[in-house]
Amino acid sequence: MASVRKTVWCVTWICGILLFVSHVYAGNKSKIKSGEVFKSRIMSPVRSFHPKTYVCYRASKPLKIDGKLNEEAWQSAEWTDDFQDIEGGSQPVPRFRTRAKMLWNDNFLYVAAELEEPNVWANITQRDAVIFHDNDFEVFIDPDGDTHNYTEYEMNALNTVWDLLLEQPYRDRNFVLNNYDLKGLISAVLVDGTLNNPSDKDKKWTVEIAFPLSAYAELKARPADGVQWRINFSRVEWQIEKVDGKYQKKVNPATGLSYPEDNWVWSPQGVVNMHLPEMWGFVQFSDIPSGEGKTSFKWNRDEEVKWALRQVYYAQRRYVSSNRRYASDVNQFADIEKAPGSFDVKIYTTPEMYEAVIQSPFSGKNWHINQEGRTWSD
């Protein structure tokens, strides 16, 4: 039985790596050639730590999932900031506007998004296929913010979905459940135009999703007033052209391959990689019904402690790749991206693992990070 489990784990791990490579390779061939993409799996994001924030209010009545967003609760809910390029503001502004909004009740986390699109198309109809080969909308949810055990969800304009659970990000030893289903999930798409019809010009497509909280309860997570989850949204957009009355991806004549896809997100990642959960936005739940009051987002300063530990994690990955062992002191890091400031960092090492610890001056908690990138407190 142990050998069977080991075989299953190895197969799943390899599938996870292949999924990551296919996702990156599909739209970043030139960057792979230079090594930039794979370098980003070791280096820290090339931006400071300023994730987006959002307050998610209650839906006092169950919502009908039809993509219309015409309920009063949706009308009162605020839109997120418009999506940016995944690398941040240094890149061009997206060609089409994308924005999202959220609500919740005791049973569901509701997500809606509006995607401007003059040519709405989709081809994939098989559930759990690689949806980002079409234009898609994606949702990433890490309830406890430790960067482990998070869900990824993708859908196209045909309402074909792909949902999976990742034990860890691809950069770390990971276990990907590609056959994982968010049981009880409901989704819908409304196209303002005509799907797969190149003869006209469309306006947008709207998505509406109800994520079942029972699935996240299995991960020992449940929303409550004041609780914060790490969430991010992504939109994959391919360049297309109309050929013989059909849409097809635009081909670069210099390479004979499709042009790389655009990746537009709510909270920028800093690099072309959605699987950096530490860069996702913060969503704070409020018990106030949507439209009946306001709650201010409350910044938890322990996130600054966790970010300092994250710098140690990035630095350790670079250090071990050169020295074949982990550093036992932060002074051994010649290229740490951002010094942990006045925080007192203790590092405990063995030949194969390490644990870094900072006692928070804000809460008094001891925060930890290890070689697998997971953060936790005592």
Side-chain angles (χ1 to χ4, degrees), residues 19-216:
L19 283 169
F20 168 79
V21 171
S22 68
H23 197 165
V24 173
Y25 186 77
N28 298 285
K29 302 176 185 70
S30 62
K31 292 185 178 182
I32 284 178
K33 186 174 181 180
S34 68
E36 179 182 337
V37 166
F38 291 104
K39 191 191 302 180
S40 74
R41 296 176 62 196
I42 296 177
M43 298 182 69
S44 62
V46 288
R47 69 187 299 273
S48 56
F49 184 61
H50 296 292
K52 298 286 187 177
T53 62
Y54 186 92
V55 176
C56 180
Y57 294 97
R58 267 190 174 272
S60 55
K61 298 178 182 177
L63 302 177
K64 182 179 181 181
I65 306 303
D66 54 13
K68 295 181 180 179
L69 312 185
N70 54 359
E71 291 93 341
E72 185 178 345
W74 275 133
Q75 295 296 311
S76 300
E78 293 185 2
W79 290 105
T80 63
D81 292 337
D82 290 354
F83 288 18
Q84 302 178 45
D85 184 89
I86 191 171
E87 294 185 78
S90 62
Q91 299 300 313
V93 174
R95 301 188 303 281
F96 310 125
R97 186 186 199 187
T98 315
R99 53 184 182 168
K101 56 174 66 177
M102 288 163 269
L103 293 167
W104 74 292
N105 60 21
D106 291 338
N107 298 313
F108 294 102
L109 167 64
Y110 297 103
V111 171
E114 183 182 80
L115 300 85
E116 289 186 352
E117 176 60 70
N119 301 290
V120 182
W121 64 275
N123 297 317
I124 298 170
T125 58
Q126 180 182 345
R127 185 187 175 102
D128 291 336
V130 183
I131 302 298
F132 59 78
H133 288 165
D134 284 351
N135 289 347
D136 79 355
F137 178 71
E138 306 177 358
V139 184
F140 298 81
I141 302 176
D142 179 11
D144 62 6
D146 69 350
T147 74
H148 286 205
N149 293 316
Y150 62 88
T151 58
E152 177 179 356
Y153 169 88
E154 303 185 9
M155 67 188 298
N156 64 8
L158 283 168
N159 197 24
T160 307
V161 306
W162 180 20
D163 48 358
L164 55 157
L165 176 70
L166 291 95
E167 184 185 61
Q168 299 172 343
Y170 292 108
R171 66 190 170 200
D172 302 305
R173 181 183 63 82
N174 63 83
F175 187 88
V176 180
L177 290 176
N178 190 46
N179 61 349
Y180 174 81
D181 286 334
L182 286 160
K183 294 179 181 177
L185 181 137
I186 312 169
S187 64
V189 173
L190 182 69
V191 176
D192 189 349
T194 53
L195 181 67
N196 292 330
N197 182 3
S199 67
D200 66 358
K201 186 174 182 179
D202 308 313
K203 289 187 65 178
K204 63 185 177 182
W205 53 295
T206 304
V207 306
E208 189 174 14
I209 314 159
F211 289 96
L213 295 181
S214 56
Y216 295 96

Side-chain angles (χ1 to χ4, degrees), residues 26 29 121 238-243 246-261:
K29 302 176 185 70
W121 64 275
W238 295 91
Q239 295 185 46
I240 61 166
E241 56 188 353
K242 303 172 184 179
V243 178
K246 295 182 179 179
Y247 293 122
Q248 70 177 34
K249 292 177 183 175
K250 195 171 184 179
V251 174
N252 183 344
T255 64
L257 301 170
S258 301
Y259 282 101
E261 87 278 18

